[in-house]
Amino acid sequence: MFDDRRKIGVGLTAFGLLFTVLGVLFFFDRGLLAMGNLLFLAGVGTTIGPRATLRFFMRRKNLKGSACFLTGVVLILIKWALVGICVETYGFWLLFSGFFPTVLGFLRRLPVLGSILDLPILKTVLNKLAPPQASGLPV
């Protein structure tokens, strides 16, 4: 299913997200946030390849999200962690919001999590945040 390069990339991306969440939980620890950003970017680059990563971040419709995401990374590195994570989150949302319906569709098929996500209140909120798509991936 996945070759070794993609497995490593997914692992790096997961660790990047984990470090970012830990950085936020530990009162915006700059070291954990910076490590999370580095691992996330390395993971995305390793998963889809450097050329596809550059193409994704430099697409005309993704330029605003890329600028916000990278500005957030720089702000975290210059010790403005709270502002940086807010700007970075906005950029992340702009870049990857097209993938959220696909991810939610996958999570809804999981045995336990699917029944939790189908609760009426959660289903209403999630459908407003990421409406279900009829087509496949947004790329």
Side-chain angles (χ1 to χ4, degrees), residues 50-122:
R51 183 172 290 142
T53 302
L54 279 176
R55 250 184 294 148
F56 175 75
F57 281 104
M58 296 302 166
R59 260 194 242 155
R60 189 163 194 59
K61 72 175 194 157
N62 291 348
L63 283 178
K64 184 177 178 183
S66 298
C68 287
F69 186 80
L70 293 176
T71 301
V73 171
V74 170
L75 286 172
I76 287 171
L77 292 176
I78 61 171
K79 299 183 181 181
W80 285 55
L82 183 59
V83 176
I85 200 71
C86 291
V87 172
E88 188 176 320
T89 302
Y90 178 67
F92 185 85
W93 178 261
L94 289 177
L95 284 170
F96 298 105
S97 62
F99 292 103
F100 292 154
T102 305
V103 171
L104 277 176
F106 171 75
L107 293 176
R108 284 184 174 139
R109 288 189 214 121
L110 295 176
V112 176
L113 195 56
S115 58
I116 293 171
L117 293 176
D118 280 336
L119 293 173
I121 187 74
L122 282 177

Side-chain angles (χ1 to χ4, degrees), residues 9 15 20 24-25 28 32 46 51 58-59 65 73 96 119:
F15 275 117
T20 301
V24 170
L25 289 176
F28 299 98
L32 286 172
T46 306
R51 183 172 290 142
M58 296 302 166
R59 260 194 242 155
V73 171
F96 298 105
L119 293 173

